[in-house]
Amino acid sequence: MTTVKGPAIFLAQFIGDTAPYNSLESICQWAAGLGFKGVQLPTGDPRFIDLQKAAESKTYADEIKGIVNAAGLEITELSTHLQGQLVAVNPVYDDLFDGFAPEQFRKNPKARQEWAVQQLKYAAKASQNLGLNASVTFSGALLWPMLYPWPQRPAGIVETAFTELGKRWTPILDVYEEHGIDLCYEIHAGEDLHDGITFEMFLDKVNGHKRANLLYDPSHFVLQCLDYIEYIDLYHERIKMFHVKDAEFNPTGRQGVYGGYQNWIDRAGRFRSLGDGQVDFKTIFSKLAQYDFKGWAVLEWECALKHPEDGAREGAQFIKDHIIRVTERAFDDFAASGADDVLNRKTLGI
């Protein structure tokens, strides 16, 4: 068994325009001061990493790694959530998702998608240059507007959408295979890959591609009322990354899963800072130890109530307290009888 690495922190929700959140060096010093051991880097802000440059220059990648290491931290993974979203966009969302791409690609879905695909490919090579073994992304969504449709979905549209999704992602996954990187999809509301069944459907369309893997985040499953513990039993062989994020679901007689179009603070289901929600992290960390998870425990902070600085500080200690240092021997070794094959056969009468 392997002890889970951590605590680490996903920087996306903390990046800002004031110190210490406005440069890679200062934000890493801040994270280290809170007790984190690793940082997961978003790749859309060149103040923190120039993705293309990191892919094309090993020297530059070493410089980025050196800045992080100088703070006593490691880079855990690169994130391409926003770029991955643009690999597959239903036209109803074109204007809304244009903001995820550089200005020169807006109002041009084809060019925007081509840019996003190239970004994913850069992330594969950049990850290799940084000495990483996994990266996280979103799948994008062609079908999300038809999740609970009225009128009913046209016959065959789900099959058509997943076939297209597989067609778009297979060449990207092949690039990740070339560079030895697992591409982990964060299973998330708003994505065509939002639960176990949809991941299985996708996996079928990419022919079980070995690099198509999972980021496990139980908070998204609490909000779906999905069994997030059994999910680990079902998919542990594909779980290569882990976001430690809490959530709660408190349905009332007035609203449930869909949330009544309310803001986050007023929804029945909402994300919370670690320890303030309902996720059973003791069982989760036990399951991950049982299945020999070899990755990082990465805090993703999202909470409608608590200040992010408090969430980060408390989250570092929360993860540290939940990581199980796995045993190197069986607890009952002291009672071993020292039997050998001869005695075993004699005991069995054979």
Side-chain angles (χ1 to χ4, degrees), residues 3-42:
T3 298
V4 173
K5 293 180 284 188
I9 184 170
F10 184 31
L11 295 178
Q13 285 84 4
F14 296 93
I15 287 175
D17 295 326
T18 59
Y21 310 112
N22 57 350
S23 76
L24 181 60
E25 180 179 10
S26 61
I27 203 170
C28 284
Q29 292 171 350
W30 167 78
L34 295 178
F36 290 103
K37 303 299 183 184
V39 290
Q40 188 177 97
L41 290 182

Side-chain angles (χ1 to χ4, degrees), residues 85-104:
Q85 184 77 62
L86 300 182
V87 171
V89 177
N90 186 288
V92 74
Y93 295 126
D94 269 338
D95 289 341
L96 295 174
F97 282 142
D98 260 352
F100 289 180
E103 190 171 352
Q104 64 266 35

Side-chain angles (χ1 to χ4, degrees), residues 256-281:
V257 171
Y258 304 121
Y261 295 119
Q262 299 303 294
N263 294 323
W264 276 110
I265 196 170
D266 296 318
R267 295 184 193 180
R270 59 188 183 180
F271 300 125
R272 298 298 308 275
S273 285
L274 284 184
D276 294 343
Q278 299 168 345
V279 175
D280 179 3
F281 283 107

Side-chain angles (χ1 to χ4, degrees), residues 102-140:
E103 190 171 352
Q104 64 266 35
F105 302 113
R106 297 173 188 174
K107 306 299 182 182
N108 188 338
K110 184 176 185 296
R112 185 186 62 200
Q113 181 189 344
E114 290 172 351
W115 171 82
V117 169
Q118 183 60 64
Q119 286 281 298
L120 266 294
K121 293 178 179 179
Y122 284 147
K125 181 60 177 175
S127 294
Q128 182 186 51
N129 284 344
L130 290 164
L132 307 177
N133 56 28
S135 183
V136 57
T137 196
F138 278 152
S139 68

Side-chain angles (χ1 to χ4, degrees), residues 168-190:
R168 295 187 188 189
W169 279 104
T170 296
I172 300 171
L173 289 164
D174 288 343
V175 172
Y176 279 76
E177 169 63 11
E178 291 170 14
H179 294 93
I181 307 297
D182 289 321
L183 185 56
C184 301
Y185 294 93
E186 181 165 0
I187 306 304
H188 193 290

